[in-house]
Amino acid sequence: MATIDTHIPADVQHGDHEHDHEHEHHGNFWTNYIFSQDHKVIAKQFLITGMAWALIGGTLSVIFRLQLGFPDANLEWLRPLLGGWITDQGKIDTEFYLALVTMHGTIMVFFVLTAGLSGTFSNFLIPLQVGARDMASGFMNMLSYWFFFLSSAVMFTSFFISTGPASGGWTAYPPLSALPQAMDGSGLGMTLWLVAMALFIVSTLLGGINYITTVINMRTQGMSFTRLPLTIWAFFFTAIIGLLSFPVLFGAALLLIFDRSFGTSFYLSDIFIGGEALPHVGGSPILFQHLFWFLGHPEVYIVLLPALGITSEIIATNSRKPIFGYKAMVGSMLFIAILSFVVWAHHMFVTGMNPFLGSIFTLLTLIIAVPSAVKIFNYVTTLWQGNIRFTSAMLFSIGLVSFFLTGGITGLFLGNSAVDIQLHDTYFVVAHFHLVMGSASFFGMIAGIYHWFPKMFGRMMDERLGSIHFWVTFLGVYFVFFPMHYIGIAGFPRRYYSWTNFETFSSFADLNMLVSIAAIITLSAQFIFLFNFFYSIFRGKLAPANPWGATTLEWTTPRHPKHGNWPGEIPHVYRWPYDYSKPGAKEDYIPQTIPYSETPESNLPHENELIKLEMEGTGAIVVDEKKH
Amino acid sequence: MVSEMKIVEEPRKTLSMHPRKFGMWLFLGSVLMLFASWTSAYIVRRAEGNWLYFELPNIFRWTSLVILASSITMQMAYRSARRNQLSQLKNWMMATAILGLVFLAGQWMGWADLVRNSVYFIGNPAGSFVYVITGFHGLHLISAIIYVLIVLKSSFKGKIGPANMAPIEMCATYWHFLGALWIYLFVFLTINR
Ligand code: HEM
Ligand SMILES: [Cu+2]
């Protein structure tokens, strides 16, 4: 094989070229599996940790759904799990209910759908799909995971302290979160929450710097920006958004820490407790909301974009069609990324904001619907008349498109400041974001696992269990979240422990029960997935090199890629990643590594031009040896 | 397996920069966002009224000059490295670190001035913001001094020179960034009394 040195500076390579060829890492268990710097191992660490968190977060939600769906039930049987949080009457402690909601939100948004999703797939796919041996800095990448682990440990610890975990909502609004005396959860639990979030932000920034650097600087020869798979574009934008918005949350959290522990008054003013004025004067709780949502809204796209990228890839592959509107997809993601920084105040319409300002934010918010619609349109047109293969990954991707649509539409209602006065802080908002963010991103993550499982573990997951998992989860999600629209329009506020005191809401008792039952079934269905996942790691069918007939680079690696990914030289890239069912081609896909000169039967005129150009341009002709 | 030789077009090389230097710029971007969030919060909070008006300590003007001077010495160190003048490199690096310490001492005296004027960390946010903003800038500057010392150490080992400019380049980038950041913060705080 001709050796052309990659242009990556030597100091980021793992050893020299010879070393790469015989890439066997003779490390021990600790360096290979625990403190590994291999992006694939780190990705799996993120995945497993994320799955553990998802299970915890899901269980929390079912516990508070029990309270909402069956307000009169005796929950004594939960005492072994919850201990003192079950009152003597066999009810969930009211303050613990708030802790449950808070931790559910925090865990799902940050630990599962940010770290578990981006952490897994950005790590796993970026080097493999751009053609790099590893991330720009394997060490920083390892640190990124361990900061996440530390953050997880701190957050997890807060479940076991006597005052319970943070309870002020995942948005941690002061004064509730700022005054330890406000409620039990605002004491040590909130401190641990803040520490965990600070560690989490460090982890995200370390990861993000690596992702961006790798995408820009370490692409293999020929992998121009227009040949990047849409997954990579999505991870790239996600990392940029994170890099710009997480420091703001960090800043907000620091000021909150000063208010809590040092007595400053950034967010606090004129508060009386038990008739006595607190010493804090001159602060503004709204300030926190501005800072929080300046991160918070971009954060929802940090959660969603990777899922959208994964979906683009899976839908194109399993429709056997080029993605419709590649440039429009990239453009709309860019547009979404930019817009996501100028719409944050739509979460604050009822904070007494100037109505004129409100209408500006309404306008900006509604504009986001345009690129979102472009994306949905492109998914549908890619599916249209495709040779669809309903693999589990494909089913979950289509599910994502469905949720993105139904959840996105309610965003338009909420985005109108006048309508939002009625809907704000009701179950309508809960329905909106669980469909568009929670379920859509969760489906993207699951789709990604089904699709890249063969590359991660060298075996296949069971497709039949996969489709059962899909149908139960898909229907379950709609049964859980669709009724919430009605409950919300009726005015039922979110985060309330109980609604039985209000006569108006009694008519929703049945609906609430239905939601809770659906939630329990949906959570149970995830055990099918867990079984499938762990069983297949050890007993699954051996995976062929390219099980889905996909074009991207990761499928050119061996079944179990070692650290360094390719045993020989890194393959070069000659075409974009969506040459599916190209007219005239022998097969219904052409991998990115096949030069145009080898596919004269399917080349378009401008591609023939490209051959000439590239042969002249460099003057040099590469002699490449192919094995058949 | 049959092997055959094929002649194919050569794909273009991709654009590529030094990954670590690039990563440094990204890091600076996130530091900038941290301070941008605080200065924006400052403006938003100030617009709401109930604001304490006070003069910034005079010494901040002098520390601004010190940090500008330190950027010059840093640039000199960089030039010496490029010209492979090791002893000068060491001297300029040491001068930079010392100026950094002088700057920090000045900031500390500024805080003392504030306290003398009864502007405390705890109290009206107008004062707290000044402490937080200058304090965290100072923390970053401490990290930069440590960075300078690390580079200084490797230049003692003769590892810095025209053949290996990346460490000092990154160090200089960070240093100049913090200098520019201070000037921005100083002007910002002066204008938005
Ligand atoms: C057409 C696009 C969208 C529009 C116009 C929109 C609009 C809104 C508005 C106005 C709210 C505030 C409702 C309130 O609190 O009263 C909201 C809440 C929310 N949205 Fe969206 N949204 C859109 C898409 C999305 C997407 C794509 C995601 C996530 C991937 C998302 C996630 C959320 C979340 C998490 C909340 C609630 C946060 C909370 O209060 O806890 N939205 N949305
Ligand atoms: Cu939003």
Side-chain angles (χ1 to χ4, degrees):
Chain A
M1 191 163 279
T3 27
I4 304 158
D5 217 313
T6 50
H7 55 293
I8 300 159
D11 58 350
V12 296
Q13 291 260 17
H14 301 273
D16 56 21
H17 221 92
E18 286 311 303
H19 186 49
D20 281 340
H21 276 270
E22 312 298 333
H23 220 101
E24 288 282 352
H25 259 263
H26 298 294
N28 55 25
F29 172 80
W30 288 94
T31 55
N32 281 354
Y33 296 105
I34 308 297
F35 295 106
S36 169
Q37 298 191 17
D38 181 351
H39 70 101
K40 299 185 292 298
V41 177
I42 295 173
K44 288 178 205 169
Q45 291 173 327
F46 269 109
L47 177 62
I48 301 290
T49 319
M51 279 167 57
W53 273 122
L55 207 60
I56 297 173
T59 311
L60 297 183
S61 73
V62 164
I63 296 176
F64 63 70
R65 268 324 309 182
L66 284 177
Q67 161 61 27
L68 290 170
F70 309 95
D72 302 322
N74 189 327
L75 299 179
E76 195 59 44
W77 54 275
L78 278 173
R79 193 177 292 281
L81 182 65
L82 299 181
W85 301 118
I86 299 286
T87 62
D88 299 336
Q89 290 79 41
K91 302 248 138 262
I92 294 173
D93 181 81
T94 46
E95 288 210 356
F96 187 63
Y97 176 88
L98 297 174
L100 286 173
V101 183
T102 304
M103 295 308 276
H104 166 74
T106 308
I107 289 170
M108 288 305 194
V109 172
F110 293 110
F111 288 34
V112 179
L113 293 178
T114 303
L117 180 61
S118 273
T120 304
F121 290 102
S122 298
N123 265 318
F124 192 73
L125 292 179
I126 289 178
L128 281 173
Q129 288 195 333
V130 304
R133 299 244 175 246
D134 202 328
M135 284 287 177
S137 165
F139 180 70
M140 259 168 68
N141 209 18
M142 180 183 81
L143 275 189
S144 160
Y145 174 76
W146 287 104
F147 268 102
F148 171 52
F149 186 84
L150 221 66
S151 158
S152 296
V154 174
M155 196 63 95
F156 192 65
T157 312
S158 75
F159 279 105
F160 300 100
I161 58 180
S162 62
T163 46
S167 320
W170 77 277
T171 52
Y173 282 1
L176 202 51
S177 60
L179 298 171
Q181 59 270 54
M183 64 199 297
D184 277 352
S186 296
L188 181 58
M190 191 64 213
T191 306
L192 292 178
W193 190 93
L194 285 166
V195 171
M197 285 313 296
L199 293 170
F200 184 87
I201 293 170
V202 174
S203 154
T204 316
L205 294 179
L206 285 171
I209 289 179
N210 240 328
Y211 305 152
I212 301 174
T213 310
T214 310
V215 171
I216 293 205
N217 299 306
M218 314 215 7
R219 285 164 291 138
T220 183
Q221 213 163 321
M223 182 61 91
S224 59
F225 274 104
T226 46
R227 289 175 181 170
L228 282 179
L230 285 170
T231 35
I232 302 301
W233 274 112
F235 301 148
F236 179 61
F237 287 131
T238 305
I240 294 179
I241 301 177
L243 211 62
L244 295 178
S245 64
F246 269 111
V248 179
L249 179 66
F250 196 74
L254 274 173
L255 299 189
L256 186 57
I257 290 172
F258 290 137
D259 273 8
R260 287 170 56 81
S261 311
F262 297 89
T264 55
S265 318
F266 289 106
Y267 304 132
L268 297 170
S269 190
D270 306 320
I271 292 178
F272 291 81
I273 289 190
E276 278 203 41
L278 295 183
H280 301 276
V281 281
S284 155
I286 305 291
L287 184 60
F288 180 85
Q289 298 195 19
H290 278 298
L291 290 174
F292 181 87
W293 286 115
F294 189 84
L295 155 97
H297 188 83
E299 166 66 19
V300 305
Y301 284 101
I302 291 174
V303 164
L304 187 67
L305 283 182
L308 291 179
I310 288 171
T311 303
S312 310
E313 194 63 25
I314 295 176
I315 286 190
T317 306
N318 290 299
S319 306
R320 314 308 292 163
K321 272 182 66 188
I323 193 85
F324 186 90
Y326 175 88
K327 292 218 169 101
M329 287 300 230
V330 176
S332 55
M333 278 196 281
L334 175 66
F335 196 37
I336 286 176
I338 295 171
L339 278 176
S340 73
F341 283 100
V342 292
V343 298
W344 78 89
H346 64 212
H347 296 275
M348 301 167 58
F349 283 141
V350 297
T351 54
M353 148 195 313
N354 181 335
F356 175 69
L357 205 59
S359 61
I360 290 181
F361 276 104
T362 296
L363 183 71
L364 289 168
T365 300
L366 296 187
I367 293 177
I368 289 207
V370 177
S372 309
V374 168
K375 293 204 71 92
I376 293 190
F377 179 80
N378 286 355
Y379 289 133
V380 175
T381 36
T382 305
L383 287 165
W384 187 252
Q385 296 197 328
N387 261 330
I388 301 183
R389 300 185 309 205
F390 290 102
T391 61
S392 310
M394 181 66 162
L395 289 171
F396 275 93
S397 301
I398 296 172
L400 178 151
V401 177
S402 164
F403 294 144
F404 187 41
L405 181 63
T406 37
I409 285 175
T410 50
L412 296 179
F413 296 59
L414 295 170
N416 286 283
S417 52
V419 181
D420 189 57
I421 292 172
Q422 157 76 4
L423 295 175
H424 177 66
D425 257 349
T426 67
Y427 268 80
F428 193 86
V429 178
V430 177
H432 159 68
F433 71 76
H434 275 92
L435 284 176
V436 74
M437 173 171 88
S439 307
S441 306
F442 181 72
F443 269 45
M445 183 170 166
I446 298 286
I449 296 174
Y450 278 112
H451 193 76
W452 280 286
F453 190 89
K455 194 75 266 160
M456 288 182 175
F457 298 103
R459 290 174 187 270
M460 310 291 289
M461 286 178 81
D462 187 83
E463 286 292 322
R464 183 169 316 165
L465 285 179
S467 56
I468 297 173
H469 174 217
F470 167 76
W471 283 109
V472 179
T473 311
F474 181 73
L475 295 175
V477 164
Y478 270 125
F479 270 105
V480 171
F481 296 116
F482 215 81
M484 287 188 188
H485 292 114
Y486 298 102
I487 302 174
I489 291 172
F492 189 67
R494 62 196 280 207
R495 291 180 183 149
Y496 272 33
Y497 173 76
S498 156
W499 36 271
T500 38
N501 296 346
F502 306 99
E503 197 48 46
T504 345
F505 296 128
S506 303
S507 55
F508 290 106
D510 294 348
L511 214 49
N512 265 316
M513 202 189 300
L514 172 76
V515 167
S516 294
I517 294 172
I520 293 167
I521 296 176
T522 312
L523 180 70
S524 314
Q526 306 317 306
F527 288 93
I528 306 176
F529 169 76
L530 285 179
F531 169 77
N532 195 351
F533 183 86
F534 287 107
Y535 183 83
S536 305
I537 289 182
F538 301 105
R539 294 283 167 79
K541 246 183 27 224
L542 292 191
N546 188 353
W548 318 117
T551 55
T552 38
L553 284 182
E554 74 272 27
W555 304 108
T556 61
T557 59
R559 194 167 76 93
H560 280 298
K562 295 267 162 22
H563 194 181
N565 296 339
W566 286 270
E569 192 196 326
I570 300 181
H572 294 169
V573 163
Y574 299 91
R575 57 178 76 230
W576 79 327
Y578 297 105
D579 267 346
Y580 289 109
S581 305
K582 204 171 180 189
K586 288 185 212 110
E587 286 183 80
D588 67 350
Y589 71 104
I590 311 176
Q592 285 189 279
T593 49
I594 307 287
Y596 285 124
S597 53
E598 286 183 15
T599 55
E601 66 281 1
S602 66
N603 286 352
L604 301 172
H606 75 271
E607 290 164 347
N608 285 326
E609 291 299 307
L610 214 63
I611 305 178
K612 283 196 214 124
L613 219 73
E614 293 197 333
M615 287 200 168
E616 285 163 10
T618 54
I621 292 167
V622 182
V623 180
D624 203 23
E625 195 182 350
K626 290 262 179 258
K627 296 206 173 87
H628 289 268
Chain B
M1 267 203 237
V2 193
S3 295
E4 70 186 68
M5 305 294 270
K6 279 235 168 97
I7 299 181
V8 300
E9 67 270 24
E10 169 158 13
R12 295 228 178 105
K13 289 224 160 84
T14 52
L15 146 133
S16 165
M17 286 156 268
H18 189 289
R20 280 202 224 136
K21 277 187 228 160
F22 190 83
M24 169 58 92
W25 281 103
L26 295 176
F27 169 71
L28 298 186
S30 65
V31 174
L32 189 65
M33 283 308 289
L34 179 66
F35 284 92
S37 78
W38 282 333
T39 50
S40 321
Y42 184 98
I43 294 177
V44 170
R45 174 59 198 77
R46 181 171 168 270
E48 285 178 16
N50 185 10
W51 191 250
L52 180 70
Y53 294 89
F54 59 89
E55 286 300 315
L56 270 193
N58 262 332
I59 192 158
F60 283 175
R61 295 187 197 159
W62 296 107
T63 54
S64 303
L65 289 181
V66 171
I67 207 162
L68 285 178
S70 76
S71 263
I72 296 174
T73 54
M74 177 52 103
Q75 203 53 29
M76 296 307 286
Y78 176 78
R79 262 192 22 199
S80 323
R82 167 150 288 166
R83 295 182 186 161
N84 211 7
Q85 298 159 333
L86 255 183
S87 62
Q88 295 195 22
L89 163 67
K90 286 173 206 158
N91 291 340
W92 287 120
M93 286 301 267
M94 262 181 298
T96 310
I98 289 167
L99 283 176
L101 289 172
V102 171
F103 172 83
L104 286 176
Q107 299 293 87
W108 184 261
M109 282 152 70
W111 281 8
D113 276 354
L114 284 173
V115 171
R116 236 171 284 129
N117 285 333
S118 310
V119 178
Y120 302 109
F121 177 52
I122 297 168
N124 190 289
S128 313
F129 266 120
V130 173
Y131 282 99
V132 169
I133 290 175
T134 53
F136 272 84
H137 179 267
L139 273 184
H140 281 89
L141 205 93
I142 291 175
S143 74
I145 293 177
I146 294 172
Y147 198 174
V148 168
L149 294 180
I150 292 173
V151 176
L152 185 62
K153 196 175 152 214
S154 47
S155 57
F156 270 110
K157 289 190 194 148
K159 282 194 197 152
I160 308 282
N164 186 17
M165 289 295 287
I168 190 165
E169 233 173 85
M170 285 162 63
C171 186
T173 309
Y174 190 37
W175 195 272
H176 294 323
F177 168 81
L178 289 180
L181 181 64
W182 170 252
I183 300 301
Y184 159 69
L185 293 172
F186 176 65
V187 172
F188 174 88
L189 290 174
T190 309
I191 294 174
N192 297 293
R193 290 283 72 245

